[in-house]
Amino acid sequence: MTEVSRVIDASPDDVFAVLADGWSYAGWVVGSSHIRDVDQDWPAAGTRIRHSVGPWPLHIQDVSVVTAVEPGVSLTLEAQGWPLGSAAIELTLVPQGAGKTMVRMAEHIVGGPGKVLPTALQALVVKPRNREALARLADIVVGRRTRK
């Protein structure tokens, strides 16, 4: 499992509000380029976001499914993108006092061709992408918070 983290200058509830907005997913998930549909009850367990990954016209139709959720605390997803495979992603929100939140993002490949890659090789791709994802998430969270 590959993990990155970032402290965001916002409460866990503010961070979770962005995670709970499925239509914002392509704004912070690196590689996701277009949201096609978000289940009405997102992010309840079992709900889905249907999105595209990659640049047009070479994009892949992908689905991310909530496998577990604890509002304000954590969100676990399985991102499915064939022919590449699928990955389990866990986002954990840890209060840091004074309105700050450490977001931990852990990911590991759970299916498809990428599963045979050694963890160290997976990390070469996953860590930089997920660091950028958390930077984008932070920008959206802080931007929304300052507009309240």
Side-chain angles (χ1 to χ4, degrees), residues 1-2 107-108 114-126:
M1 184 172 290
T2 302
E107 178 174 348
H108 68 281
K115 189 172 179 177
V116 300
L117 296 173
T119 303
L121 191 54
Q122 291 177 30
L124 289 175
V125 174
V126 171

Side-chain angles (χ1 to χ4, degrees), residues 12-145:
D13 288 339
D14 287 340
V15 175
F16 195 81
V18 173
L19 298 177
D21 176 3
W23 292 101
S24 75
Y25 192 79
W28 63 271
V29 175
V30 175
S32 182
S33 57
H34 175 76
I35 303 299
R36 298 186 321 276
D37 188 40
V38 178
D39 285 354
Q40 183 175 345
D41 293 336
W42 176 271
T47 57
R48 301 170 183 265
I49 292 177
R50 290 154 193 86
H51 54 96
S52 302
V53 175
W56 182 90
L58 304 175
H59 62 267
I60 297 168
Q61 303 300 306
D62 196 359
V63 175
S64 292
V65 181
V66 176
T67 57
V69 62
E70 188 173 344
V73 177
S74 65
L75 178 65
T76 306
L77 307 169
E78 183 174 336
Q80 305 164 354
W82 288 99
L84 302 176
S86 59
I89 300 114
E90 183 175 356
L91 295 141
T92 306
L93 312 180
V94 181
Q96 296 295 293
K100 295 184 185 290
T101 303
M102 177 183 291
V103 181
R104 292 188 181 126
M105 185 176 191
E107 178 174 348
H108 68 281
I109 298 172
V110 294
K115 189 172 179 177
V116 300
L117 296 173
T119 303
L121 191 54
Q122 291 177 30
L124 289 175
V125 174
V126 171
K127 276 193 172 189
R129 185 188 74 218
N130 289 352
R131 277 192 204 106
E132 175 62 19
L134 291 183
R136 293 177 185 189
L137 177 64
D139 289 343
I140 293 169
V141 170
V142 171
R144 284 187 181 185
R145 195 195 75 232

